[in-house]
Amino acid sequence: MRMTVRRLTRAATAGLVAAAALTAAAHSAEAADTLGSAAAGQGRYFGTAVAANHLGEADYAATLDREFSSVTPENEMKWDATEPSRGTFTFGSADRIVDHAQGQGMDVRGHTLVWHSQLPSWVGSLGASDLRTAMNDHINGLMGHYKGEIHSWDVVNEAFQDGGSGARRSSPFQDKLGNGFIEEAFRTARAADPAAKLCYNDYNTDGVNAKSNAVYDMVEDFKSRGVPIDCVGFQSHFNSNSPVPSDYRQNLQRFADLGVDVQITELDIEGSGSAQAADYTKVVEACLAVSRCTGMTVWGVTDKYSWRSGGTPLLFDGNYQEKPAYDAVLSALGGSGDPGDPGDGTLTCTATYTRTADWSSGYNGQVTITAGGEPISSWTATVTLPAQQSVSSLWNGTPTRSGNVMTVRPSWNGTLAAGASTSFGFTVAKNGSDAAPAVGTCTAS
Ligand code: G3I
């Protein structure tokens, strides 16, 4: 078990605790303009996935620390990262995230104890009896190390198949231990850290369908037999092939009605502009409508480090500018104002880049310009191309070029209402480089 900032804090005197409470109250009153504080006003946490290797980037850390109240290590607590060979636990990267979070007063979600993916090969080669021991040892090793420091653990992740069958997914655990491995993992987890909420987590279970029905039946069975389960995580990775389901709220509610909390655990929605913002609003509103929906986590801080970076699915663009989706989430959470938008007549805009077409020798890029909280009559954005690349045409904008930097101003589309978007596009010859251009900060007038 670790000796941490949080453990030391627990030993604080009553006076110190009272002072901390006052500080927390002042913080939340002053900062209902961040995701974490607005969600706290609704009795929820608002978290993000975090990668340890980005914590040294100033803008990344500043955005994380300002906006979020919970973190989930994106990869650092997975089996391949924490027990790469049997019995040898490596916690360095995960500890960095937990220490950072605790230093900022954020909570930590644990992801994940038993999963078929990112599983070292030694696990798959064990026989049934050894595998059962190894699974329980892994749960005890990880949960013991972080005992008392994790608000919710994804005990088992993605154990059901996609498609209409509702069957369990093939994995070393399923194939060698049978259906009972999930129950055994939860029982071991409860004993390892009785204070942690124990979740089952999966994707494509966000609406009512065969897969979510199968998970529902399992949770109902666990509750009826006293198998310890506290929460169900709905990953909520959405795009045009897998849109926010119309029965999302209803599905969250039916699980909650079984007597478990529900959490949105890995939210991201591909897209941009007002359509993406509207989808984010639907998700936040669904969670707020279900009293046992205790919090939401987006799967990354910035589009540029998303596992689906091409789909720009997050709340901050690659330059850490707030997107319309950010404003929509803050507003749905009842937040007031926006630190990037002073609300004092200052004119602001954001610029978000997407690659819209790609072929061997070239690609089309698009930059979406979105006005902040005030109407604007013009904007300026810079696009810096990798040295080898050249732009052959540009539309819906007026470029001036200096070396590989294009400064783009409106052609016909300078006037934007508050929160409204326009975009310009361009065709690039790769000349051997497939790298993405960098889009600079948008300025408005
Ligand atoms: O760190 C190595 C780097 O050293 C190496 O050069 C590079 C070459 O491929 O790989 C890097 O590791 C990658 C790692 O992300 C860190 O970026 C892995 O290849 C890559 O497979 C891994 O992807 C992660 C994925 O899970 C793996 O299954 C994503 O970051 C992570 O966002 C994603 O998260 C999952 C959740 O855990 C479960 N639900 C779905 C979700 C999205 O797939």
Side-chain angles (χ1 to χ4, degrees):
M1 193 191 299
R2 295 157 18 102
M3 180 50 70
T4 63
V5 176
R6 181 169 298 187
R7 279 180 207 299
L8 294 168
T9 305
R10 283 205 195 105
T13 63
L16 283 175
V17 170
L22 282 176
T23 309
H27 181 71
S28 70
E30 131 211 331
D33 53 3
T34 66
L35 301 169
S37 58
Q42 305 286 345
R44 268 78 174 183
Y45 66 84
F46 200 97
T48 179
V50 165
N53 61 335
H54 300 315
L55 286 173
E57 187 181 325
D59 287 345
Y60 183 94
T63 308
L64 167 67
D65 296 349
R66 185 183 72 238
E67 295 290 342
F68 297 96
S69 57
S70 169
V71 303
T72 305
E74 186 173 359
N75 290 298
E76 292 79 353
M77 286 186 176
K78 293 173 180 174
W79 199 316
D80 60 354
T82 51
E83 197 186 0
S85 57
R86 190 168 184 179
T88 304
F89 285 88
T90 50
F91 294 117
S93 298
D95 278 356
R96 264 188 81 198
I97 294 176
V98 174
D99 289 344
H100 182 98
Q102 291 179 347
Q104 295 294 322
M106 300 168 183
D107 290 326
V108 184
R109 280 195 97 255
H111 176 77
T112 175
L113 295 164
V114 183
W115 187 27
H116 67 275
S117 184
Q118 287 171 285
L119 190 63
S121 54
W122 66 263
V123 182
S125 63
L126 299 176
S129 157
D130 239 4
L131 178 63
R132 170 173 288 113
T133 306
M135 180 183 83
N136 290 325
D137 287 349
H138 184 72
I139 294 170
N140 285 322
L142 224 72
M143 292 187 79
H145 183 73
Y146 293 112
K147 191 168 182 177
E149 301 185 74
I150 304 290
H151 71 78
S152 308
W153 268 108
D154 290 331
V155 178
V156 176
N157 194 41
E158 301 175 6
F160 286 82
Q161 260 177 33
D162 284 320
S165 69
R168 302 285 170 102
R169 177 195 296 275
S170 171
S171 72
F173 309 105
Q174 181 66 36
D175 300 348
K176 293 175 185 165
L177 306 180
N179 286 354
F181 87 88
I182 302 182
E183 170 173 351
E184 178 155 353
F186 275 84
R187 290 191 190 279
T188 302
R190 176 65 91 227
D193 184 356
K197 300 270 190 196
L198 306 182
C199 302
Y200 176 79
N201 191 52
D202 215 327
Y203 67 93
N204 285 351
T205 50
D206 313 298
V208 176
N209 56 39
K211 190 172 176 182
S212 67
N213 286 345
V215 176
Y216 181 92
D217 290 346
M218 179 188 75
V219 175
E220 187 175 45
D221 171 54
F222 279 14
K223 293 301 284 185
S224 73
R225 292 190 297 111
V227 179
I229 184 167
D230 306 304
C231 37
V232 177
F234 297 84
Q235 294 187 8
S236 305
H237 294 292
F238 297 124
N239 57 24
S240 54
N241 294 322
S242 175
V244 182
S246 56
D247 54 6
Y248 191 52
R249 183 199 57 73
Q250 177 199 339
N251 190 46
L252 297 177
Q253 186 65 59
R254 72 171 176 147
F255 276 90
D257 291 343
L258 290 175
V260 288
D261 289 343
V262 295
Q263 300 174 355
I264 293 165
T265 50
E266 303 181 14
L267 175 62
D268 50 20
I269 308 177
E270 293 189 56
S272 62
S274 54
Q276 184 183 46
D279 281 339
Y280 266 101
T281 298
K282 284 185 210 164
V283 171
V284 174
E285 287 180 345
C287 179
L288 295 183
V290 175
S291 60
R292 290 198 75 146
C293 181
T294 57
M296 291 149 264
T297 296
V298 289
W299 205 238
V301 175
T302 161
D303 281 340
K304 71 175 168 176
Y305 297 139
S306 164
W307 72 297
R308 285 180 166 171
S309 58
T312 62
L314 295 170
L315 303 179
F316 293 90
D317 72 14
N319 299 313
Y320 299 97
Q321 298 295 302
E322 294 148 4
K323 295 165 59 179
Y326 170 93
D327 294 333
V329 168
L330 186 64
S331 162
L333 290 170
S336 57
D338 165 350
D341 171 20
D344 57 0
T346 306
L347 306 183
T348 59
C349 57
T350 58
T352 312
Y353 169 75
T354 322
R355 185 177 291 205
T356 51
D358 193 27
W359 56 98
S360 57
S361 60
Y363 66 87
N364 284 344
Q366 176 175 293
V367 173
T368 300
I369 306 288
T370 304
E374 304 284 344
I376 63 174
S377 56
S378 191
W379 44 264
T380 306
T382 58
V383 178
T384 304
L385 294 161
Q388 300 96 312
Q389 297 181 3
S390 58
V391 170
S392 56
S393 64
L394 186 145
W395 53 96
N396 296 337
T398 308
T400 51
R401 294 192 173 92
S402 168
N404 63 336
V405 180
M406 286 194 302
T407 301
V408 184
R409 297 187 174 81
S411 44
W412 51 272
N413 49 350
T415 301
L416 295 174
S421 298
T422 187
S423 59
F424 62 86
F426 48 91
T427 298
V428 175
K430 292 180 182 171
N431 300 323
S433 165
D434 192 37
V439 177
T441 305
C442 188
T443 56
S445 57

